[in-house]
């Protein structure tokens, strides 16, 4: 038995969906442990593209159990829509292969209004959230006003909790945010049928995981967002509202740290970011535009254009430490084909000095300039390459340099969006 966590090392969209879909082949269980439908994870199988926001990216394998852990915040309407969309495309989804933790918190209509209202109020100081109500839902969880799935499927508890919270939310929405308000009765009418439909999916996910552990099954934990969007370790306040790092796989799913054997850090071969916030290697030139176009860098959730820049090894090294990475999965190497010269940021300069590590203070980070190392590019199309030795020499040198800078071995190289456009150097489930 071997259990693997997959997390993003940058600012999200590193290709977690693709790699989880590939690794799911070997696992029996795939579990999400944080975030919500702010995530957009893309899987491409036989030329068909699927984007998953809440359902774990193992769902396209018919025999895998997909779990949504207690650490995830769930918009029930989105979950039901995602189930229906998959079913309409011939994917089997039911309580036999998809369970939601009874402790997972519910995203309510007022969370979305609060998210939008706060962003509007901030004007040009906005964070650029996905507007899905993620932050306000986690806020209610921490201030002990949230509604969990076990409350949701018990109509009496649900109604009691709702009638306590709606007046407070409306006060804030109406009087502070000058926003539209919510109507308790309409929420009940909308949400009670959702609860009935989802009831068979609600389970004690921690218990289900412990049974899988006892059976010796391989378990794959699927992170969302990326380490630099983590609420504690990211570029605060330009972050999401959950812990996106590997350590949260335990808290957010209900297992202990001794059950994690490998942590795979997803690295895009360059860097992207959606939404606002510092981004030292961001490019505002033709090369940035080229990465954006060739990489089709549009948000899988909001459709926003992703900001693009060179690979930042300071960022990845920071993630290697915070997550105790055992391996790297690098994606989108194919997008770099055709660039004469590539740059990797190896350090930051701040007021004339080299900074040894990624800084926490936003003002310092914003004033940092990247120190680049240049490497020669390659011109070959590499999407059909199945073996590392068949990669152009300069592509191999680029990978080796990243490994050196981050002091972590590359285990997977992705050269295209499709399931089979993957070079497996070391299977994470075979790691000791
Ligand atoms: P996630 O949020 O980390 O799962 O990543 P997204 O799905 O939001 O964004 C990654 C995008 O890159 C998706 O459109 C994937 O289909 C695509 N992708 C993943 N790996 C590769 C790759 O190696 N090459 C190319 N060209 N596209 C890839
Ligand atoms: P995946 O899992 C990229 C960003 C938003 C915004 C910030 C806060 O697909 O990698 P939120 O709605 O979470 O309060 O927004 O976080 N963000 C993501 N960026 N990929 C994601 O998920 C993201 N989820 C949130 O753009 O800057
Ligand atoms: Mg994404």
């Amino acid at each position: 038995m071997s259990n693997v966590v997959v997390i993003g090392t940058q600012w999200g969209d590193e290709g977690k969906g693709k790699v989880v879909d590939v690794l799911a082949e070997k696992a029996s269980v795939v579990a999400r442990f944080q975030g919500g439908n702010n995530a957009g994870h893309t899987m491409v199988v036989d030329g068909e593209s699927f984007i998953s926001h809440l359902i774990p990216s193992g769902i396209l394998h018919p025999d895998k159990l997909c779990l949504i852990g207690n650490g995830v915040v769930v918009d029930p309407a989105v979950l039901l829509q995602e189930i229906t969309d998959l079913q309409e495309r011939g994917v089997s989804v039911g309580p036999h292969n998809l369970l939601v933790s009874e402790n997972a918190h519910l995203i309510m209509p007022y969370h979305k209004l609060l998210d939008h209202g706060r962003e509007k109020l901030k004007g040009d100081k906005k964070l650029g959230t996905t507007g899905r109500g993620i932050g306000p839902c986690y806020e209610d969880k921490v201030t002990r006003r949230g509604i969990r799935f076990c409350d949701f499927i018990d109509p009496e508890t649900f109604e009691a909790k709702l009638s306590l919270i709606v007046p407070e939310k409306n006060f804030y929405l109406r009087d502070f945010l000058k926003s539209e308000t919510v109507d308790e009765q309409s929420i009940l009418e909308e949400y009670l049928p959702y609860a009935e439909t989802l009831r068979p999916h609600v389970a004690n996910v921690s218990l289900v995981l412990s049974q899988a552990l006892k059976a010796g099954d391989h378990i794959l934990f699927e992170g969302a967002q990326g380490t630099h969007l983590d609420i504690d370790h990211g570029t605060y306040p330009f972050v999401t509202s959950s812990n996106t790092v590997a350590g949260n796989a335990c808290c957010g799913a209900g297992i202990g740290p001794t059950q994690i054997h490998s942590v795979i850090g997803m690295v895009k071969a360059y860097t992207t970011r959606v939404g606002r916030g510092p981004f030292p290697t961001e490019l505002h030139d033709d090369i940035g535009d080229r990465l954006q176009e060739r990489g089709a860098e549009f948000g899988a959730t909001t459709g926003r254009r992703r900001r693009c820049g060179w690979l930042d090894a300071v960022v990845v090294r920071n993630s290697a430490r915070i997550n105790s990475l055992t391996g790297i999965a690098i994606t989108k190497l194919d997008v770099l084909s055709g660039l004469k010269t590539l740059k990797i940021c190896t350090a930051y300069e701040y007021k004339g000095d080299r900074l040894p590590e990624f800084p926490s203070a936003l003002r310092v980070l914003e004033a940092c300039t990247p120190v680049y190392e240049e490497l020669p590019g390659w011109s070959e199309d590499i999407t059909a390459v199945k073996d590392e030795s068949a990669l152009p020499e300069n592509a191999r040198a680029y990978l080796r340099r990243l490994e050196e800078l981050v002091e972590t071995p590359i285990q997977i190289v992705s050269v295209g969006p499709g399931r089979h456009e993957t070079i497996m150097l070391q299977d994470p489930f075979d790691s000791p």
Side-chain angles (χ1 to χ4, degrees):
M1 180 210 35
S2 172
N3 304 319
V4 176
V5 179
V6 171
I7 53 91
T9 62
Q10 296 156 316
W11 281 282
D13 304 326
E14 298 92 348
K16 298 175 290 293
K18 171 191 162 153
V19 167
V20 167
D21 171 64
V22 169
L23 292 178
E25 181 73 48
K26 278 263 185 118
S28 303
V29 181
V30 184
R32 276 275 308 264
F33 54 89
Q34 48 71 228
N37 61 312
N38 47 352
H41 294 181
T42 315
M43 299 151 271
V44 178
V45 182
D46 299 330
E48 256 198 275
S49 175
F50 297 83
I51 297 177
S52 173
H53 301 287
L54 275 170
I55 297 181
S57 304
I59 199 71
L60 300 181
H61 298 266
D63 52 340
K64 312 297 173 187
L65 177 59
C66 288
L67 302 176
I68 297 178
N70 56 277
V72 179
V73 287
V74 181
D75 184 328
V78 173
L79 180 58
L80 284 167
Q81 189 61 51
E82 220 165 87
I83 294 173
T84 309
D85 288 348
L86 282 167
Q87 285 169 340
E88 280 173 0
R89 294 178 71 179
V91 180
S92 159
V93 189
H96 65 286
N97 67 344
L98 178 67
L99 298 174
V100 186
S101 167
E102 51 198 13
N103 287 341
H105 279 247
L106 219 58
I107 295 183
M108 302 294 294
Y110 44 80
H111 291 137
K112 287 178 268 188
L113 289 176
L114 289 166
D115 197 353
H116 285 288
R118 291 219 183 104
E119 285 283 272
K120 201 168 150 205
L121 193 73
K122 286 198 189 105
D124 61 6
K125 297 238 171 359
K126 69 178 181 186
L127 299 177
T129 71
T130 59
R132 302 300 193 258
I134 306 294
C137 182
Y138 277 117
E139 244 176 84
D140 277 353
K141 172 177 175 171
V142 174
T143 51
R144 297 161 292 189
R145 294 182 181 91
I147 301 177
R148 298 167 301 162
F149 263 77
C150 55
D151 308 321
F152 180 39
I153 57 171
D154 170 11
E156 235 176 82
T157 308
F158 183 55
E159 284 193 49
K161 289 209 159 214
L162 200 61
S163 60
L164 210 64
I165 201 157
V166 162
E168 186 186 322
K169 295 296 178 196
N170 277 344
F171 174 71
Y172 186 79
L173 284 166
R174 184 184 51 240
D175 294 322
F176 186 67
L177 293 177
K178 314 283 180 231
S179 149
E180 67 176 284
T181 53
V182 294
D183 175 58
E184 192 182 323
Q185 199 49 41
S186 314
I187 296 180
L188 280 176
E189 279 164 25
E190 184 190 350
Y191 272 57
L192 287 175
Y194 294 157
E196 282 321 301
T197 317
L198 287 172
R199 181 189 300 280
H201 292 270
V202 181
N204 182 334
V205 161
S206 168
L207 191 64
V208 173
L209 280 169
S210 82
Q211 284 154 357
L213 290 171
K214 276 189 194 141
D217 293 337
H218 287 331
I219 301 170
L220 183 57
F221 294 93
E222 175 180 4
Q225 291 81 52
T227 300
H228 292 79
L229 287 171
D230 181 280
I231 186 75
D232 285 295
H233 302 284
T235 48
Y236 191 88
F238 295 98
V239 292
T240 190
S241 297
S242 64
N243 283 114
T244 61
V245 294
N248 195 27
C250 297
C251 303
I255 57 151
T258 52
Q259 302 300 337
I260 305 291
H261 306 103
S262 302
V263 179
I264 301 300
M266 298 291 316
V267 179
K268 196 179 278 189
Y270 45 97
T271 314
T272 61
R273 177 164 200 166
V274 222
R276 309 273 303 258
F279 179 176
T281 63
E282 183 171 13
L283 292 169
H284 299 280
D285 59 9
D286 290 354
I287 295 178
D289 290 346
R290 190 177 186 282
L291 292 172
Q292 199 276 329
E293 281 156 29
R294 292 222 21 193
E297 295 294 352
F298 289 99
T301 296
T302 55
R304 289 178 290 178
R305 213 177 142 93
R306 294 177 182 147
R307 300 153 64 192
C308 296
W310 292 117
L311 180 59
D312 187 339
V314 180
V315 159
V316 183
R317 199 164 55 220
N318 196 42
S319 288
R321 190 189 67 252
I322 295 166
N323 295 288
S324 297
L325 295 187
T326 52
I328 284 174
I330 188 162
T331 58
K332 299 198 130 177
L333 193 65
D334 54 301
V335 175
L336 298 182
S337 288
L339 286 169
K340 247 187 148 50
T341 307
L342 303 171
K343 290 186 185 179
I344 301 184
C345 168
T346 56
Y348 295 155
E349 222 168 65
Y350 175 68
K351 293 191 172 168
D353 287 328
R354 289 273 169 109
L355 286 187
E357 295 297 339
F358 192 83
S360 292
L362 208 64
R363 276 175 54 173
V364 176
L365 182 60
E366 279 167 348
C368 281
T369 47
V371 177
Y372 286 117
E373 188 173 297
E374 292 196 4
L375 284 92
W378 59 92
S379 55
E380 296 90 330
D381 176 359
I382 58 170
T383 47
V385 173
K386 297 279 174 251
D387 201 303
E388 198 210 4
S389 61
L391 283 172
E393 204 180 312
N394 289 346
R396 280 174 21 228
Y398 188 75
L399 299 181
R400 293 294 83 80
R401 188 64 187 128
L402 175 66
E403 284 186 322
E404 275 169 21
L405 289 166
V406 181
E407 296 177 49
T408 308
I410 294 176
Q411 298 193 330
I412 300 167
V413 181
S414 172
V415 290
R419 192 183 266 177
H420 300 295
E421 290 164 325
T422 311
I423 305 170
M424 189 70 73
L425 305 179
Q426 155 93 55
D427 186 330
F429 285 109
D430 293 341
S431 299

